[in-house]
Amino acid sequence: MAVHVVLYQPEIPANTGNIARTCAATGVPLHLIRPLGFSTDDKMLKRAGLDYWEFVDIHYYDSLDDFFEKNKGNMYYLSKFGTQDHAKFDYSDLEQDHYFLFGKETTGLPKDLIQSNIDRCLRIPMNDHVRSLNLSNTAAILVYEALRQQGFPGLH
């Protein structure tokens, strides 16, 4: 698969649930880096109405280091401090994996990770009236931009 969503220590179950729905609808794998701010056991998922969870290709990691050891490809870091327009990158190569890393809702990605990868820190253009978009909206924008560039493989 060429497009991946990575959530670093997500805190809000509704955001992760919405992102999981986008992943289920598009066939995009979801990577979750612990600790999570909620439970993903069957009882909790059913109560939240996440009946599509079984259709998500989901991977769990105990740390960022664990994630990076097991995954290689183009890494893109979403941050309010990002300086690169998300639409200026080429995600069209279906042979290459493209990982979109999103941080915690409250604190984002670790500052040292942002600083050492500033040339791959993306931002979605917006005005100055809000500081950021909702995490699940941002993930959907990125997933669909990458899939659009790839010709929406496997989707109809």
Side-chain angles (χ1 to χ4, degrees), residues 9 88 109 145:
Q9 300 181 353
K88 303 248 180 194
L109 291 166
E145 172 60 20

Side-chain angles (χ1 to χ4, degrees), residues 37 47 89 96 152:
R47 184 180 308 159
F89 281 82
Q96 185 69 14
F152 298 107

Side-chain angles (χ1 to χ4, degrees), residues 55-66:
F55 301 110
V56 181
D57 178 11
I58 190 160
H59 307 267
Y60 294 93
Y61 305 90
D62 291 324
S63 67
L64 271 172
D65 289 339
D66 184 26

Side-chain angles (χ1 to χ4, degrees), residues 8-27:
Y8 171 73
Q9 300 181 353
E11 299 167 309
I12 301 173
N15 283 338
T16 301
N18 287 332
I19 292 167
R21 183 182 299 262
T22 297
C23 290
T26 57

Side-chain angles (χ1 to χ4, degrees), residues 48-122:
L50 301 181
D51 54 350
Y52 50 83
W53 194 261
E54 67 185 278
F55 301 110
V56 181
D57 178 11
I58 190 160
H59 307 267
Y60 294 93
Y61 305 90
D62 291 324
S63 67
L64 271 172
D65 289 339
D66 184 26
F67 168 78
F68 286 124
E69 284 173 20
K70 295 175 180 169
N71 298 282
K72 305 294 179 223
N74 290 325
M75 303 290 172
Y76 304 97
Y77 306 90
L78 280 293
S79 171
K80 67 180 180 180
F81 302 111
T83 58
Q84 306 298 319
D85 181 338
H86 78 287
K88 303 248 180 194
F89 281 82
D90 182 0
Y91 315 111
S92 63
D93 186 353
L94 292 170
E95 301 299 317
Q96 185 69 14
D97 284 321
H98 304 279
Y99 294 88
F100 296 111
L101 283 81
F102 299 87
K104 290 181 182 186
E105 287 92 341
T106 55
T107 58
L109 291 166
K111 289 186 183 1
D112 59 331
L113 184 65
I114 295 294
Q115 291 170 351
S116 61
N117 293 285
I118 198 68
D119 61 325
R120 290 198 156 295
C121 287
L122 307 184

